[in-house]
Amino acid sequence: MIAQIRGAAAVVGVAEIHYKRGDAPHGELRMTLSTIVEACRDAGISPREIDGFVSYAGGPNDGAILGAALMIDELRWSNMMWGGGGGTVAAAINNATIAIATGQAECVVVCRAIAQADTGRLGYASYHYGPHFMAHGIGSPAQICALRTQRMLEHDGVPESAMRNLVLAAYHHAQNNATAQAFGRPLDEATYEESRWIAEPFHLYDCSRESDGAVALVLVSADRARMLSAHPAYVLAGAQGAPGGYAERIDNDEQYSTAGFGHANNGKPGVAERLWSAAGLGPQDVDVVQVYENFSGPAVASLIDHRLCPPGRAAAEVLTVENLTVPHGKLPINTSGGNIADSFINGLNLAVEAVRQIRGTSPNQVPDAKTSLFIGGPMAPVVSSVLFGHADTV
Amino acid sequence: MSQDLPWGPAPDGHDRPHWDGLTRSELRIQRCADCRTWVWGPQQICPHCYGFELGWQAVEPSGTVYSWTRSWYPYIKELADRLPYISVLVELDETDGRRVLGMYMGDPNDVPHIGQRVEGVFERADDAPWPLLRWQRAREGAIQ
């Protein structure tokens, strides 16, 4: 029998802390521990009950280290999701859900911390790329994503306004979020257009900021969640992966201008369609979206991959500032300001905002939000997304 | 005197034939000895027939621009003095659509477009340990 994922687990505790990059007063381990303790307090449980830890994208502080520091009763689940960048950020939540749904663990924390003092800057992960990239001037995620985005614009016909409007929407939302790094610094179209190029087609404002900080989410079974929280954020579905060979053969993959959520090489459903089918819902049923914007272009590609907006020129009809912003937009995105205007803790901060929308506590609350989508690190070799739902949707 | 640049053959020597090809003004990419499938970037196994006999074959350095970006930020410090520079992803003519990355030479204000014909030029700087294949707009009258 296949274990049922839909509604089996829920996020009942969240915590996030962020600083300007390089400004964290503590290292990654201490920040991780402090957010876990705070997320447990938010959930109303003791950290001793945690029996699982999942992270992604690297970092030395595994489940044994964290479990020992917190002197948990027993460690049952300690997983690192393979894949660099933020591609597996939602997969980490999916992994925690699987542990709970199958009885492998009962209380699983998903966590990630970044302190520049500990790990340097992610955006300068230049020597991650091998000689066949470096020799040709390509040595950063920005440039990798720029090449794919340029084809999405020039060949597929997605207008540049789609990228700009996504950025303007994020900045608009950040003005209502006092903890956003762009709070008090609104962005207008002219300032965006006049900002310096980083790697075309990306302006400065198309690139996520990097922050120091940490994020933790606590997941438990649906039964436990109902006892703990007035508004658990149930995991309705999660999916991860990519078409075979995507973004891992020196730019020789078929679905080059997509974000990686597309169909399998044999034509079977890919990450996005597997997500919808597991949830029993579709893009038309989503109330609010947090989409990982390492850069604006991959975020636009993610929305297309998930059928939240049409491909090509028609994308412009959906991706307007009006449509992407609360309270009137049909596709409100990145309601805390996102990676671009709020903070960037490798994207896990977006999951916290997705949970806030289900709880009704977002700084830009979508009225009566029942379904809240979180899309993880697009254009990475492995990508992922997870759909949260209110109790009414389970 | 040669600079210590972050490119050249992999430590295990796996892609050494590609780099050796550049010293002879050849673009060599992998091709399966059994099923003749073209392979790039360097792999250990043929993705089509799972043969391990991947040979290296010289191909004509000509193709079309599949995508491009112009970099303005010094992500690679060794190339900072070239900014802004243009990188192209070129779909090679003879290789069943395999693509290679390269830098696009000429006026950095003259950006390429997707679908544009390009031809390779071998660049060997005096102080560079390995030559590199660069790309330029295909000349008028060149074989298209």
Side-chain angles (χ1 to χ4, degrees):
Chain A
M1 183 186 143
I2 297 171
Q4 190 67 37
I5 298 296
R6 192 184 195 285
V11 178
V12 290
V14 294
E16 61 114 2
I17 186 169
H18 62 260
Y19 307 91
K20 188 170 188 279
R21 67 168 177 266
D23 283 0
H26 306 295
E28 292 173 357
L29 178 56
R30 176 158 167 173
M31 289 196 294
T32 303
L33 293 168
S34 70
T35 48
I36 290 173
V37 169
E38 189 187 331
C40 287
R41 191 179 300 127
D42 180 46
I45 66 163
S46 163
R48 251 172 264 297
E49 294 184 50
I50 299 167
D51 58 5
F53 298 89
V54 184
S55 192
Y56 61 97
N61 298 311
D62 63 24
I65 293 169
L66 298 173
L70 298 166
M71 204 53 194
I72 60 172
D73 291 331
E74 186 191 18
L75 182 64
R76 296 181 181 176
W77 193 260
S78 175
N79 283 4
M80 166 62 63
M81 307 309 295
W82 270 345
T88 48
V89 56
I93 297 167
N94 195 31
N95 188 271
T97 304
I98 289 164
I100 293 165
T102 56
Q104 293 292 315
E106 293 179 4
C107 179
V108 182
V109 163
V110 176
C111 56
R112 178 81 172 118
I114 304 176
Q116 191 178 319
D118 286 351
T119 56
R121 287 191 60 183
L122 291 183
Y124 293 75
S126 51
Y127 301 102
H128 165 76
Y129 299 101
H132 298 289
F133 287 101
M134 298 289 286
H136 311 304
I138 303 297
S140 68
Q143 294 163 304
I144 293 280
C145 293
L147 282 162
R148 291 173 184 270
T149 299
Q150 181 61 30
R151 187 156 175 99
M152 180 183 79
L153 301 177
E154 190 179 328
H155 178 269
D156 301 352
V158 173
E160 289 178 19
S161 66
M163 288 166 38
R164 184 188 66 224
N165 292 342
L166 187 133
V167 174
L168 293 177
Y171 267 80
H172 176 84
H173 288 145
Q175 304 319 307
N176 288 332
N177 177 6
T179 64
Q181 288 183 262
F183 177 71
R185 283 184 279 170
L187 178 67
D188 60 32
E189 190 173 321
T191 307
Y192 168 92
E193 293 288 357
E194 288 160 15
S195 67
R196 62 191 167 93
W197 291 113
I198 301 297
E200 291 173 63
F202 299 149
H203 289 90
L204 174 67
Y205 287 104
D206 290 302
C207 306
S208 57
R209 54 188 69 235
E210 289 177 52
S211 311
D212 279 6
V215 180
L217 296 88
V218 177
L219 287 92
V220 297
S221 71
D223 287 344
R224 183 86 197 277
R226 277 187 282 276
M227 290 185 280
L228 286 172
S229 170
H231 298 290
Y234 293 88
V235 176
L236 297 180
Q240 67 197 61
Y246 177 79
E248 200 54 61
R249 295 182 73 95
I250 311 190
D251 285 19
N252 273 267
D253 45 293
E254 288 294 320
Q255 297 176 53
Y256 186 74
S257 61
T258 74
F261 299 87
H263 62 80
N265 294 337
N266 63 3
K268 289 187 176 176
V271 174
E273 296 306 325
R274 286 189 279 115
L275 180 88
W276 296 137
S277 106
L281 297 168
Q284 70 283 356
D285 301 313
V286 172
D287 293 325
V288 57
V289 179
Q290 311 304 318
V291 56
Y292 189 119
E293 353 80 301
N294 35 14
F295 309 96
S296 59
V300 169
S302 300
L303 298 175
I304 294 171
D305 284 1
H306 284 82
R307 288 190 286 119
L308 290 156
C309 90
R313 300 204 181 285
E317 293 162 23
V318 172
L319 302 183
T320 62
V321 175
E322 170 76 4
N323 223 11
L324 295 172
T325 47
V326 175
H328 302 299
K330 291 195 182 74
L331 184 64
I333 59 147
N334 296 4
T335 46
S336 72
N339 292 335
I340 282 178
D342 178 4
S343 65
F344 176 76
I345 311 297
N346 216 175
L348 194 56
N349 45 300
L350 296 174
V352 173
E353 174 64 10
V355 168
R356 283 191 209 109
Q357 286 288 354
I358 295 297
R359 292 180 171 188
T361 58
S362 165
N364 292 283
Q365 184 62 41
V366 171
D368 203 30
K370 300 291 189 196
T371 56
S372 179
L373 176 64
F374 170 39
I375 301 176
M379 292 188 184
V382 181
V383 297
S384 57
S385 47
V386 63
L387 182 64
F388 296 106
H390 184 272
D392 296 350
T393 65
V394 176
Chain B
M1 191 183 82
S2 72
Q3 289 184 54
D4 184 19
L5 295 170
W7 49 82
D12 67 0
H14 176 241
D15 64 349
R16 177 89 191 210
H18 171 77
W19 297 95
D20 286 342
L22 295 175
T23 66
R24 297 169 186 223
S25 297
E26 286 181 3
L27 170 59
R28 294 180 189 166
I29 69 169
Q30 285 181 303
R31 191 172 197 188
C32 179
D34 294 325
C35 75
R36 311 301 289 159
T37 295
W38 293 102
V39 175
W40 191 253
Q43 300 287 327
Q44 299 282 348
I45 190 170
C46 172
H48 181 68
C49 73
Y50 301 140
F52 285 92
E53 295 298 316
L54 292 175
W56 295 83
Q57 187 166 330
V59 300
E60 195 62 32
S62 65
T64 56
V65 174
Y66 192 82
S67 196
W68 62 275
T69 181
R70 181 164 50 181
S71 296
W72 295 80
Y73 193 87
Y75 284 110
I76 301 173
K77 62 179 186 296
E78 294 84 353
L79 296 175
D81 60 351
R82 289 185 181 237
L83 291 170
Y85 60 78
I86 298 167
S87 301
V88 284
L89 181 61
V90 176
E91 191 172 84
L92 297 170
D93 288 338
E94 296 179 3
T95 62
D96 196 25
R98 294 293 86 75
R99 307 170 200 143
V100 296
L101 283 164
M103 283 175 76
Y104 182 75
M105 309 311 285
D107 180 357
N109 294 313
D110 181 22
V111 298
H113 60 86
I114 291 173
Q116 179 184 311
R117 296 288 304 163
V118 287
E119 59 187 19
V121 279
F122 292 89
E123 172 190 290
R124 176 154 206 171
D126 290 342
D127 58 347
W130 295 96
L132 291 168
L133 180 60
R134 307 301 195 190
W135 296 88
Q136 64 186 16
R137 189 181 292 275
R139 290 162 298 179
E140 292 285 328
I143 298 166
Q144 298 281 313

